[in-house]
Amino acid sequence: MTITNGYATLEEVNREAAIESLHVVDDAVLEACIEDASRAIDAYCGGRRFYASAASHSYDAPYDGSRELWLDDDWLAVTTVTNGDGSTVGSSAYLLWPNNAVSKSAIRRKDSSSVSWEPASAGDYERAITVTGSGGFVNRSATDAKSAVIVSNTKRACIITALSMYRKRFGIGSDAATVTAAGVVLTPQGLPRDAVQLIDGYRLLP
């Protein structure tokens, strides 16, 4: 199978476990464990995604003339902002906030900009502004130091969890896992303690 948005590779997990096997069945099961472990990490962190993906969301225009357009998800980059009146808001008119964080949670109009957040032509503020770009908490191909730490922590947590899931197939620690026809699926509550310690700081708080 192909691992979709996995936080570790088959080679990394094999190397960690010192597995030297050409058994296709084992490789397929390990790949399933890697993908399941990655999604378990997402779920534990409140649905946060530790990879970049194309995004397009609509937002209500602020009623109070606020500079900030608050976003309802993690954003890594913004490509296009379409105002409620249909005009494109140029990138020179705003900044992404927080300034020094890897992911962004707001678009803030610059003080020097004459642009304001506008409702739709019919006067509706609801879903008037459209933002497109790249969503996610971290771009796994980024090379800056802050991104590298997040990538490293989630990779390590994925390896620990995937190997725990794999070993549970043989009855080792199976009390923390749910066994399915496709392999072992680990619930967020069953994440290994070492994995939780690596990612606990990334959880979305209610």
Side-chain angles (χ1 to χ4, degrees), residues 38-130:
S38 300
R39 301 294 74 80
I41 289 169
D42 295 347
Y44 179 82
C45 292
R48 180 158 267 165
R49 302 183 311 280
F50 296 90
Y51 58 90
S53 61
S56 179
H57 292 192
S58 294
Y59 296 99
D60 294 353
Y63 290 88
D64 57 1
S66 172
R67 292 172 56 195
E68 287 79 22
L69 179 70
W70 294 101
L71 309 175
D72 60 356
D73 205 351
D74 299 318
W75 284 77
L76 294 165
V78 168
T79 304
T80 306
V81 179
T82 304
N83 216 340
D85 60 3
S87 64
T88 299
V89 181
S91 59
S92 61
Y94 63 82
L95 296 169
L96 300 182
W97 185 91
N99 296 334
N100 299 310
V102 172
S103 64
K104 310 299 181 180
S105 56
I107 298 173
R108 175 178 287 178
R109 291 187 293 105
K110 290 183 179 179
D111 286 332
S112 60
S113 172
S114 60
V115 173
S116 59
W117 301 120
E118 300 290 343
S121 57
D124 295 325
Y125 284 77
E126 295 82 6
R127 302 179 181 179
I129 299 171
T130 302

Side-chain angles (χ1 to χ4, degrees), residues 9-20 30 155-156 159 163:
T9 66
L10 176 63
E11 292 74 18
E12 288 166 337
V13 173
N14 276 332
R15 185 165 58 247
E16 178 75 13
I19 297 173
E20 295 182 3
L30 279 170
K155 176 186 291 187
R156 184 66 187 159
I159 292 172
L163 284 175

Side-chain angles (χ1 to χ4, degrees), residues 157-179:
C158 180
I159 292 172
I160 292 169
T161 304
L163 284 175
S164 175
M165 294 165 69
Y166 181 75
R167 288 163 179 154
K168 286 178 176 63
R169 296 180 69 247
F170 305 102
I172 303 172
S174 59
D175 57 317
T178 300
V179 181

